[in-house]
Amino acid sequence: MKAIQDHYPPTFAHCYGCGPANPFGLHLKSYLREDQTEARFTPDQRYSGGVPDNVYGGMIASLLDCHGTASAAAFAYRARGREMGDSGPPIRFVTASLHINFRKPTPLGEELHITGTLKSLDGRKASILLSLSARGEECAQGEMLAVELKS
Amino acid sequence: MKAIQDHYPPTFAHCYGCGPANPFGLHLKSYLREDQTEARFTPDQRYSGGVPDNVYGGMIASLLDCHGTASAAAFAYRARGREMGDSGPPIRFVTASLHINFRKPTPLGEELHITGTLKSLDGRKASILLSLSARGEECAQGEMLAVELKS
């Protein structure tokens, strides 16, 4: 099954966090499963927080941001009865705002599980609820307002 | 003049975004100047957004996050009449929440100017207003709630 990001048009595939065309990047892969999107990612030891046991905040924000815009695109395709990768114009979203609650330290060296659910979709605006967990415990929550780019 | 991060205690200096002890990191340096903190940083070409002309959102979040917690520490030292690096217990903050408004695309290859101002300081809680500009134009705004770690 191809990831949402693997359907991004080549001109839009350069993101450090999730772009398949970025040779240096993190290559986050997000998938739409039933009513939720999900991604799994294990940050390597470079991405330490202030103390080496924890993931740094910027990584958490990056994962939520990239997963959020991918989620918005996937939910918009579904709402319009379309399939990602079909012959229609690509649907792409960018972040207008992102709010993150850091609930507890995120352990480094663990697989992180990121989910997205659709709160609302209104014209070109999508609101996405995000969650990041490790070892089954939620470490961060996010809420994103994403805006669809005009094709 | 030493940066705020250069006063972090060695056990707390490992952050990928701003820790002096992280050999792989970005080494963001923040300074307190009069009533504002500031930092300057030029992301390299790896940190592209979806299109290669722009900085990826996770980098913007990282810069605001690291600058915000540094700002909170600096403002708290000042409020208590202390100097960073003095012989007292280190004052360290972590992010409780971060809200970012992405106002316009942030150009890649330009020096970014990040500022922080103190909105409120109440016990262990600091609220910091953040701004990120390129070529004199504000590209992102942030607001952080930071919480002081118990020493």
Side-chain angles (χ1 to χ4, degrees), chain A residues 70-108:
Chain A
S71 301
F75 290 128
Y77 271 98
R78 174 180 283 178
R80 294 176 199 167
R82 289 184 49 187
E83 293 286 334
M84 286 181 281
D86 65 14
S87 58
I91 298 174
R92 302 170 302 162
F93 278 79
V94 294
T95 311
S97 70
L98 177 63
H99 182 89
I100 304 167
N101 286 325
F102 295 88
R103 299 190 61 205
K104 56 175 68 177
T106 298
L108 192 59

Short mmCIF file of all heavy atoms in Angstrom, two decimals, chain A residues 70-108:
data_model
loop_
_atom_site.label_atom_id
_atom_site.label_comp_id
_atom_site.label_asym_id
_atom_site.label_seq_id
_atom_site.Cartn_x
_atom_site.Cartn_y
_atom_site.Cartn_z
N ALA A 70 -0.67 15.61 5.39
CA ALA A 70 -0.97 14.37 4.65
C ALA A 70 -2.39 13.91 4.97
O ALA A 70 -3.15 13.50 4.08
CB ALA A 70 0.04 13.28 5.00
N SER A 71 -2.76 13.98 6.24
CA SER A 71 -4.10 13.57 6.66
C SER A 71 -5.16 14.43 5.99
O SER A 71 -6.19 13.91 5.50
CB SER A 71 -4.23 13.71 8.19
OG SER A 71 -3.29 12.91 8.85
N ALA A 72 -4.92 15.74 5.95
CA ALA A 72 -5.90 16.64 5.34
C ALA A 72 -6.12 16.27 3.88
O ALA A 72 -7.27 16.23 3.40
CB ALA A 72 -5.42 18.09 5.46
N ALA A 73 -5.04 15.98 3.17
CA ALA A 73 -5.17 15.60 1.76
C ALA A 73 -5.96 14.30 1.63
O ALA A 73 -6.89 14.19 0.81
CB ALA A 73 -3.79 15.44 1.12
N ALA A 74 -5.64 13.31 2.45
CA ALA A 74 -6.32 12.02 2.35
C ALA A 74 -7.81 12.16 2.65
O ALA A 74 -8.66 11.58 1.95
CB ALA A 74 -5.68 11.02 3.32
N PHE A 75 -8.15 12.94 3.69
CA PHE A 75 -9.57 13.12 4.02
C PHE A 75 -10.30 13.89 2.91
O PHE A 75 -11.47 13.62 2.64
CB PHE A 75 -9.71 13.84 5.36
CG PHE A 75 -9.29 13.02 6.55
CD1 PHE A 75 -8.38 13.51 7.49
CD2 PHE A 75 -9.81 11.74 6.76
CE1 PHE A 75 -8.00 12.75 8.60
CE2 PHE A 75 -9.44 10.98 7.87
CZ PHE A 75 -8.52 11.49 8.78
N ALA A 76 -9.61 14.83 2.28
CA ALA A 76 -10.26 15.60 1.20
C ALA A 76 -10.51 14.73 -0.03
O ALA A 76 -11.57 14.80 -0.66
CB ALA A 76 -9.40 16.82 0.84
N TYR A 77 -9.54 13.89 -0.38
CA TYR A 77 -9.77 12.95 -1.49
C TYR A 77 -11.00 12.10 -1.20
O TYR A 77 -11.89 11.92 -2.04
CB TYR A 77 -8.55 12.03 -1.68
CG TYR A 77 -7.49 12.56 -2.62
CD1 TYR A 77 -6.35 13.20 -2.14
CD2 TYR A 77 -7.63 12.42 -4.00
CE1 TYR A 77 -5.38 13.68 -3.00
CE2 TYR A 77 -6.66 12.90 -4.87
CZ TYR A 77 -5.53 13.52 -4.37
OH TYR A 77 -4.58 14.01 -5.22
N ARG A 78 -11.06 11.55 0.00
CA ARG A 78 -12.19 10.67 0.33
C ARG A 78 -13.51 11.43 0.29
O ARG A 78 -14.51 10.93 -0.25
CB ARG A 78 -11.98 10.07 1.73
CG ARG A 78 -13.18 9.27 2.19
CD ARG A 78 -12.97 8.68 3.55
NE ARG A 78 -12.12 7.50 3.50
CZ ARG A 78 -11.75 6.79 4.56
NH1 ARG A 78 -12.16 7.17 5.76
NH2 ARG A 78 -10.99 5.73 4.46
N ALA A 79 -13.52 12.65 0.83
CA ALA A 79 -14.77 13.42 0.88
C ALA A 79 -15.29 13.73 -0.53
O ALA A 79 -16.49 13.90 -0.73
CB ALA A 79 -14.55 14.72 1.66
N ARG A 80 -14.36 13.80 -1.48
CA ARG A 80 -14.79 14.09 -2.86
C ARG A 80 -14.97 12.82 -3.69
O ARG A 80 -15.13 12.91 -4.91
CB ARG A 80 -13.77 15.03 -3.51
CG ARG A 80 -13.76 16.38 -2.82
CD ARG A 80 -12.72 17.32 -3.34
NE ARG A 80 -12.48 18.37 -2.35
CZ ARG A 80 -11.47 19.20 -2.39
NH1 ARG A 80 -10.59 19.14 -3.37
NH2 ARG A 80 -11.32 20.12 -1.44
N GLY A 81 -14.90 11.69 -3.07
CA GLY A 81 -15.08 10.43 -3.78
C GLY A 81 -13.94 10.12 -4.74
O GLY A 81 -14.13 9.39 -5.72
N ARG A 82 -12.77 10.67 -4.43
CA ARG A 82 -11.61 10.45 -5.32
C ARG A 82 -10.60 9.51 -4.68
O ARG A 82 -10.61 9.28 -3.48
CB ARG A 82 -10.94 11.80 -5.63
CG ARG A 82 -11.77 12.69 -6.56
CD ARG A 82 -11.03 13.96 -6.90
NE ARG A 82 -9.66 13.68 -7.36
CZ ARG A 82 -8.74 14.61 -7.60
NH1 ARG A 82 -9.04 15.89 -7.45
NH2 ARG A 82 -7.53 14.26 -8.00
N GLU A 83 -9.71 9.00 -5.51
CA GLU A 83 -8.60 8.16 -5.06
C GLU A 83 -7.31 8.95 -5.22
O GLU A 83 -7.10 9.59 -6.26
CB GLU A 83 -8.51 6.89 -5.91
CG GLU A 83 -9.67 5.93 -5.76
CD GLU A 83 -9.63 5.17 -4.43
OE1 GLU A 83 -8.52 4.99 -3.88
OE2 GLU A 83 -10.71 4.77 -3.95
N MET A 84 -6.43 8.86 -4.23
CA MET A 84 -5.11 9.47 -4.40
C MET A 84 -4.41 8.82 -5.58
O MET A 84 -4.47 7.60 -5.74
CB MET A 84 -4.27 9.28 -3.13
CG MET A 84 -4.71 10.19 -2.01
SD MET A 84 -3.69 9.99 -0.52
CE MET A 84 -4.43 8.48 0.13
N GLY A 85 -3.77 9.64 -6.40
CA GLY A 85 -3.06 9.11 -7.56
C GLY A 85 -3.95 8.95 -8.78
O GLY A 85 -3.49 8.44 -9.81
N ASP A 86 -5.21 9.40 -8.67
CA ASP A 86 -6.08 9.33 -9.86
C ASP A 86 -5.64 10.40 -10.87
O ASP A 86 -4.66 11.11 -10.66
CB ASP A 86 -7.56 9.46 -9.46
CG ASP A 86 -7.91 10.83 -8.87
OD1 ASP A 86 -7.12 11.78 -9.00
OD2 ASP A 86 -9.00 10.95 -8.25
N SER A 87 -6.38 10.52 -11.96
CA SER A 87 -5.92 11.41 -13.03
C SER A 87 -6.37 12.86 -12.82
O SER A 87 -6.06 13.73 -13.63
CB SER A 87 -6.44 10.90 -14.37
OG SER A 87 -7.86 10.84 -14.31
N GLY A 88 -7.07 13.13 -11.73
CA GLY A 88 -7.52 14.50 -11.48
C GLY A 88 -6.40 15.38 -10.93
O GLY A 88 -5.28 14.90 -10.68
N PRO A 89 -6.67 16.67 -10.74
CA PRO A 89 -5.64 17.56 -10.19
C PRO A 89 -5.27 17.14 -8.76
O PRO A 89 -6.17 16.83 -7.97
CB PRO A 89 -6.31 18.94 -10.21
CG PRO A 89 -7.76 18.69 -10.33
CD PRO A 89 -7.94 17.36 -11.01
N PRO A 90 -3.99 17.13 -8.44
CA PRO A 90 -3.57 16.73 -7.08
C PRO A 90 -4.17 17.65 -6.02
O PRO A 90 -4.27 18.86 -6.22
CB PRO A 90 -2.05 16.87 -7.11
CG PRO A 90 -1.67 16.90 -8.55
CD PRO A 90 -2.84 17.49 -9.28
N ILE A 91 -4.56 17.08 -4.90
CA ILE A 91 -5.05 17.85 -3.75
C ILE A 91 -3.89 17.95 -2.75
O ILE A 91 -3.38 16.94 -2.28
CB ILE A 91 -6.26 17.16 -3.11
CG1 ILE A 91 -7.43 17.07 -4.10
CG2 ILE A 91 -6.68 17.88 -1.83
CD1 ILE A 91 -8.64 16.28 -3.59
N ARG A 92 -3.48 19.18 -2.46
CA ARG A 92 -2.35 19.39 -1.55
C ARG A 92 -2.75 20.41 -0.50
O ARG A 92 -3.38 21.42 -0.81
CB ARG A 92 -1.14 19.95 -2.32
CG ARG A 92 -0.69 19.08 -3.47
CD ARG A 92 0.34 19.81 -4.33
NE ARG A 92 -0.19 21.05 -4.87
CZ ARG A 92 0.54 22.04 -5.36
NH1 ARG A 92 1.86 21.94 -5.36
NH2 ARG A 92 -0.01 23.14 -5.83
N PHE A 93 -2.34 20.16 0.72
CA PHE A 93 -2.64 21.08 1.82
C PHE A 93 -1.34 21.62 2.43
O PHE A 93 -0.32 20.92 2.45
CB PHE A 93 -3.43 20.37 2.91
CG PHE A 93 -4.91 20.27 2.63
CD1 PHE A 93 -5.40 19.30 1.76
CD2 PHE A 93 -5.80 21.14 3.23
CE1 PHE A 93 -6.77 19.21 1.51
CE2 PHE A 93 -7.17 21.05 2.98
CZ PHE A 93 -7.65 20.08 2.12
N VAL A 94 -1.41 22.84 2.94
CA VAL A 94 -0.31 23.39 3.74
C VAL A 94 -0.88 23.81 5.10
O VAL A 94 -2.08 23.99 5.26
CB VAL A 94 0.37 24.60 3.05
CG1 VAL A 94 1.07 24.15 1.77
CG2 VAL A 94 -0.64 25.71 2.77
N THR A 95 0.01 23.95 6.06
CA THR A 95 -0.41 24.28 7.42
C THR A 95 -0.66 25.77 7.56
O THR A 95 0.21 26.57 7.24
CB THR A 95 0.68 23.88 8.42
OG1 THR A 95 1.09 22.55 8.15
CG2 THR A 95 0.19 24.00 9.85
N ALA A 96 -1.84 26.11 8.04
CA ALA A 96 -2.10 27.51 8.40
C ALA A 96 -1.76 27.74 9.86
O ALA A 96 -1.14 28.75 10.22
CB ALA A 96 -3.57 27.86 8.14
N SER A 97 -2.14 26.81 10.73
CA SER A 97 -1.78 26.93 12.14
C SER A 97 -1.66 25.54 12.75
O SER A 97 -2.31 24.58 12.29
CB SER A 97 -2.80 27.77 12.92
OG SER A 97 -4.02 27.08 13.03
N LEU A 98 -0.84 25.45 13.75
CA LEU A 98 -0.62 24.18 14.44
C LEU A 98 -0.47 24.48 15.93
O LEU A 98 0.35 25.32 16.32
CB LEU A 98 0.65 23.50 13.92
CG LEU A 98 1.07 22.19 14.60
CD1 LEU A 98 0.02 21.10 14.41
CD2 LEU A 98 2.42 21.71 14.05
N HIS A 99 -1.29 23.80 16.73
CA HIS A 99 -1.21 23.93 18.18
C HIS A 99 -0.78 22.58 18.75
O HIS A 99 -1.37 21.56 18.41
CB HIS A 99 -2.56 24.35 18.76
CG HIS A 99 -2.51 24.55 20.24
ND1 HIS A 99 -2.19 25.78 20.79
CD2 HIS A 99 -2.69 23.71 21.27
CE1 HIS A 99 -2.18 25.65 22.11
NE2 HIS A 99 -2.49 24.40 22.42
N ILE A 100 0.22 22.59 19.60
CA ILE A 100 0.72 21.34 20.18
C ILE A 100 0.70 21.44 21.70
O ILE A 100 1.22 22.40 22.27
CB ILE A 100 2.17 21.06 19.73
CG1 ILE A 100 2.26 21.03 18.20
CG2 ILE A 100 2.67 19.73 20.31
CD1 ILE A 100 3.69 21.09 17.69
N ASN A 101 0.12 20.44 22.33
CA ASN A 101 0.25 20.27 23.79
C ASN A 101 1.24 19.15 24.05
O ASN A 101 1.01 18.01 23.63
CB ASN A 101 -1.10 19.89 24.43
CG ASN A 101 -2.03 21.06 24.51
OD1 ASN A 101 -1.61 22.18 24.73
ND2 ASN A 101 -3.32 20.80 24.32
N PHE A 102 2.32 19.48 24.73
CA PHE A 102 3.31 18.48 25.08
C PHE A 102 2.91 17.93 26.45
O PHE A 102 3.09 18.58 27.48
CB PHE A 102 4.71 19.11 25.12
CG PHE A 102 5.19 19.61 23.79
CD1 PHE A 102 4.91 20.89 23.35
CD2 PHE A 102 5.93 18.78 22.95
CE1 PHE A 102 5.36 21.36 22.12
CE2 PHE A 102 6.38 19.23 21.71
CZ PHE A 102 6.09 20.52 21.30
N ARG A 103 2.31 16.75 26.45
CA ARG A 103 1.72 16.22 27.69
C ARG A 103 2.73 15.58 28.61
O ARG A 103 2.61 15.63 29.81
CB ARG A 103 0.60 15.24 27.35
CG ARG A 103 -0.53 15.92 26.55
CD ARG A 103 -1.71 14.99 26.44
NE ARG A 103 -2.24 14.66 27.74
CZ ARG A 103 -2.93 13.56 28.02
NH1 ARG A 103 -3.16 12.68 27.06
NH2 ARG A 103 -3.37 13.33 29.23
N LYS A 104 3.70 14.88 28.01
CA LYS A 104 4.75 14.26 28.82
C LYS A 104 5.96 14.06 27.93
O LYS A 104 5.85 14.10 26.69
CB LYS A 104 4.27 12.94 29.42
CG LYS A 104 3.77 11.93 28.42
CD LYS A 104 3.44 10.61 29.09
CE LYS A 104 2.24 10.73 30.04
NZ LYS A 104 1.86 9.46 30.64
N PRO A 105 7.14 13.82 28.53
CA PRO A 105 8.33 13.61 27.71
C PRO A 105 8.14 12.42 26.75
O PRO A 105 7.54 11.41 27.12
CB PRO A 105 9.42 13.32 28.74
CG PRO A 105 8.95 13.95 30.00
CD PRO A 105 7.45 13.81 29.98
N THR A 106 8.64 12.58 25.53
CA THR A 106 8.55 11.52 24.52
C THR A 106 9.87 10.76 24.53
O THR A 106 10.92 11.34 24.26
CB THR A 106 8.31 12.15 23.13
OG1 THR A 106 7.06 12.85 23.16
CG2 THR A 106 8.27 11.10 22.05
N PRO A 107 9.82 9.46 24.84
CA PRO A 107 11.09 8.71 24.97
C PRO A 107 11.81 8.53 23.63
O PRO A 107 11.18 8.25 22.62
CB PRO A 107 10.63 7.36 25.54
CG PRO A 107 9.20 7.24 25.15
CD PRO A 107 8.64 8.63 25.12
N LEU A 108 13.11 8.70 23.65
CA LEU A 108 13.93 8.51 22.45
C LEU A 108 14.26 7.03 22.29
O LEU A 108 14.49 6.33 23.29
CB LEU A 108 15.22 9.33 22.58
CG LEU A 108 16.09 9.50 21.34
CD1 LEU A 108 15.33 10.19 20.21
CD2 LEU A 108 17.34 10.31 21.68
#
